[in-house]
């Protein structure tokens, strides 16, 4: 059964000749078929006429299938991972479409894959139905009964994978040592098409990034992971942190180093590998078959120091924010107060908090009551994740079209208590 990334799943081990890889969690585009060659939902296997046999062969090899005979350039006989020289399923697959029976053989192979209970068969069909770049994580952790790992350890792997993927998506939006809440909504939206899965033992996880739109994230992570590895090596050899400063341009950030710390912590070692979608080719500037990037517990001090360095060194950003007032608080009937704005423009964050003097606070309240946003100039502080605006000045209402004004007024009527809590302590997040 397929599940989101924050739940457990079923699959196989790592790829690249080390065993089968795990299946994705999202519903498979090619469900198992019945005796008539149709799926349980009535959907057929992929159209054999649209399948490139070279792509099929590359996916077989990636997911641990072995070629056992066949004339080179004509046909190949593939067997699934774990099958002996004379046992298990074998599929006869053409190397090209140059022969009359090629399409028939591909169709038979696809039907057999859809019927197969071999986890890697589903992986191959996924790669054919939705060409995807693959990112794999492995953690060397002590195992329990039957080679499995405890549930909390599996959760640590999934959490680390989420952080690393999000760091890559954030780096696509912009280079920064610390992103905080900037670009977060757009980065999370970019990861929505991703499908993921873990192996039965919970020591490995694979993410499938469809091409498009996921390739920019995969490419950015390729460069960022190698840059992080080089920066760690430099720090361990020289004690200097300069390499982490230059690694920001490659996509390294506090978010990535925190993800790597979460991946390595509590293990004997961890590694991350990328594999490009055969149907899409190799991205420019990337190795055709990237080697896994490995990290060990000895790397943790350097990664933690880099994470703290990125947090403190990222400067505040001057901005002119336009936002709708969604919360107002102050300790008494007069004096300065705090305002929470839903950002409409001027900053790549969803909400900001700002402290206003008495006159500006009154202006913000009046603008909200008549359904208008305000514009305010200040500096977006990195402390707290770029959620706070300091040095606020120039607070003025902003005219908007009638549709936006009506929507803001509707929001006011739905939240009539936005001023009633003015005397309650504000929870800082």
């Amino acid at each position: 059964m397929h599940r989101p990334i924050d739940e457990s799943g079923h699959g196989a081990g790592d790829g690249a000749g080390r065993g089968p890889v795990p299946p994705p969690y999202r519903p498979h585009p090619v469900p198992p078929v019945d005796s008539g060659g149709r799926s349980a939902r009535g959907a057929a296997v992929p159209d054999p006429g649209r399948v490139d046999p070279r792509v099929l062969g590359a996916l077989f090899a990636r997911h641990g299938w072995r070629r056992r005979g066949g004339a080179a350039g004509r046909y190949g006989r593939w067997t699934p991972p774990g099958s002996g020289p004379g046992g298990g399923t074998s599929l006869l697959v053409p190397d090209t479409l140059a022969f009359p029976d090629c399409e028939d053989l591909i169709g038979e192979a696809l039907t057999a894959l859809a019927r197969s209970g071999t986890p890697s068969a589903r992986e191959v069909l996924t790669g054919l139905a939705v060409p995807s770049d693959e990112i794999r994580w492995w953690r060397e952790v002590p195992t329990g009964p039957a080679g499995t790992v405890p549930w909390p350890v599996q959760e640590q792997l999934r959490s680390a994978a989420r952080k690393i993927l999000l760091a890559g998506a954030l780096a696509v939006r912009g280079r920064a040592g610390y992103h905080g809440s900037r670009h977060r909504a757009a980065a999370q939206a970019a990861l929505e098409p991703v499908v993921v899965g873990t192996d039965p033992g919970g020591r490995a996880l694979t993410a499938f990034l469809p091409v498009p739109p996921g390739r920019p994230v995969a490419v950015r992570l390729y460069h960022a992971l190698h840059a992080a590895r080089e920066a760690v090596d430099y720090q361990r050899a020289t004690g200097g942190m300069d390499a982490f400063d230059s690694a920001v341009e490659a996509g390294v950030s506090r978010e990535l180093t925190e993800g790597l710390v979460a991946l390595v912590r509590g293990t004997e070692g961890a590694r991350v590998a990328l594999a490009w979608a055969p149907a899409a080719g190799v991205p420019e500037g990337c190795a055709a078959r990237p080697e896994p990037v490995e990290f060990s517990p000895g790397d943790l001090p350097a990664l933690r120091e880099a994470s703290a360095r990125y947090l403190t060194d990222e400067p505040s950003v001057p901005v002119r924010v336009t936002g709708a007032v969604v919360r107002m608080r102050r300790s008494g009937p007069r004096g300065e107060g705090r305002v929470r704005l839903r950002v409409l423009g001027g900053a790549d964050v969803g909400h900001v908090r700002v402290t206003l003097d008495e006159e500006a606070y009154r202006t913000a309240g009046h603008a909200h009551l008549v359904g208008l946003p305000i514009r305010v100039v200040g500096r977006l502080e990195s402390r707290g994740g770029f959620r706070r605006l300091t040095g606020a000045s120039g607070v003025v209402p902003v005219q908007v079209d009638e549709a936006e004004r009506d929507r803001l007024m509707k929001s006011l009527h739905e939240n009539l208590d936005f001023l009633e809590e003015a005397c309650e302590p504000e929870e800082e997040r």
Side-chain angles (χ1 to χ4, degrees):
M1 180 176 179
H2 296 288
R3 302 179 176 91
I5 187 171
D6 57 348
E7 298 184 32
S8 64
H10 303 278
D14 58 2
R18 288 181 290 273
V21 295
Y25 280 129
R26 291 163 62 112
H28 197 285
V30 185
V33 300
D34 59 22
S35 59
R38 308 283 299 180
S39 74
R41 301 175 189 172
V45 298
D47 182 0
R50 296 178 178 272
V51 174
D52 186 337
R54 295 171 298 179
V55 172
L56 180 56
L59 288 170
F60 275 138
R62 173 179 297 176
H63 295 292
W65 288 61
R66 300 295 181 88
R67 179 167 177 157
R68 303 187 185 278
R74 297 174 64 86
Y75 300 93
R77 185 168 292 280
W78 293 86
T79 58
S83 58
T89 302
S90 67
L91 302 179
L92 187 64
V93 179
D95 290 337
T96 70
L97 293 174
F99 307 102
D101 61 345
C102 290
E103 188 170 324
D104 292 337
L105 288 175
I106 291 176
E108 292 173 3
L110 296 179
T111 301
L113 287 172
R115 291 173 176 170
S116 174
T118 304
S120 60
R122 185 174 291 264
E123 302 294 340
V124 173
L125 288 174
T126 300
L128 290 173
V130 184
S132 304
D133 297 325
E134 299 176 19
I135 304 177
R136 298 189 182 95
W137 295 264
W138 295 275
R139 302 176 85 224
E140 298 297 332
V141 294
T143 58
T148 60
V149 298
W151 174 260
V153 177
Q154 297 183 38
E155 282 295 295
Q156 290 169 9
L157 173 58
R158 283 185 283 273
S159 175
R162 283 195 299 269
K163 291 179 180 179
I164 292 172
L165 281 174
L166 182 60
L170 287 168
V172 170
R173 304 292 302 180
R175 310 292 191 274
Y178 176 44
H179 296 279
S181 61
R182 294 178 295 174
H183 304 294
R184 189 162 294 263
Q188 290 172 337
L191 297 177
E192 288 181 359
V194 175
V195 294
V196 295
T198 57
D199 75 329
R203 301 173 64 185
L205 181 146
T206 303
F208 297 82
L209 282 69
V211 181
R215 171 148 288 188
V217 177
V219 171
R220 183 48 49 205
L221 277 177
Y222 168 85
H223 293 294
L225 288 168
H226 284 84
R229 178 68 265 173
E230 293 171 2
V232 169
D233 290 340
Y234 181 85
Q235 193 279 336
R236 295 187 68 175
T238 67
M241 298 294 294
D242 297 346
F244 279 104
D245 296 335
S246 58
V248 171
E249 187 58 31
V252 181
S253 63
R254 172 181 170 85
E255 285 76 9
L256 180 64
T257 54
E258 285 187 326
L260 292 174
V261 168
L263 181 68
V264 177
R265 186 175 53 232
T267 73
E268 298 174 2
R271 62 187 187 272
V272 187
L274 288 91
W276 311 116
V282 179
E284 183 178 357
C286 299
R289 295 183 178 180
E291 292 292 326
V293 183
E294 299 186 3
F295 296 90
S296 69
D299 299 326
L300 289 175
L303 290 170
R304 288 180 174 130
E305 184 177 352
S307 180
R309 180 185 180 94
Y310 286 139
L311 178 62
T312 57
D313 288 357
E314 188 67 21
S316 59
V317 182
V319 292
R320 187 172 66 170
V321 171
T322 300
V325 177
V326 295
R327 184 63 57 86
M328 303 184 71
R329 296 176 184 268
R330 61 180 175 183
S331 58
R334 305 186 63 85
E336 70 177 20
R338 292 183 178 182
V339 174
R340 179 178 172 88
L341 302 178
R342 178 171 57 83
V343 176
L344 304 176
D348 297 306
V349 295
H351 294 81
V352 295
R353 291 184 177 89
V354 55
T355 299
L356 302 176
D357 60 30
E358 182 176 355
E359 182 178 353
Y361 186 85
R362 186 181 301 112
T363 300
H366 289 166
H368 183 83
L369 290 173
V370 297
L372 293 177
I374 62 171
R375 181 177 294 129
V376 55
V377 177
R379 298 190 69 86
L380 200 59
E381 291 289 338
S382 61
R383 185 171 66 90
F386 294 95
R387 298 184 180 94
R388 189 187 309 274
L389 200 66
T390 61
S393 64
V395 177
V396 293
V398 178
Q399 294 295 329
V400 295
D401 58 42
E402 288 300 321
E404 176 66 14
R405 183 167 180 171
D406 289 344
R407 190 174 65 81
L408 291 172
M409 289 297 294
K410 181 180 179 182
S411 176
L412 168 63
H413 290 299
E414 292 175 349
N415 299 276
L416 292 176
D417 62 340
F418 85 106
L419 285 174
E420 295 176 4
E421 301 176 359
C423 295
E424 297 181 8
E426 181 177 11
E427 179 184 357
E428 292 293 344
R429 287 182 287 177

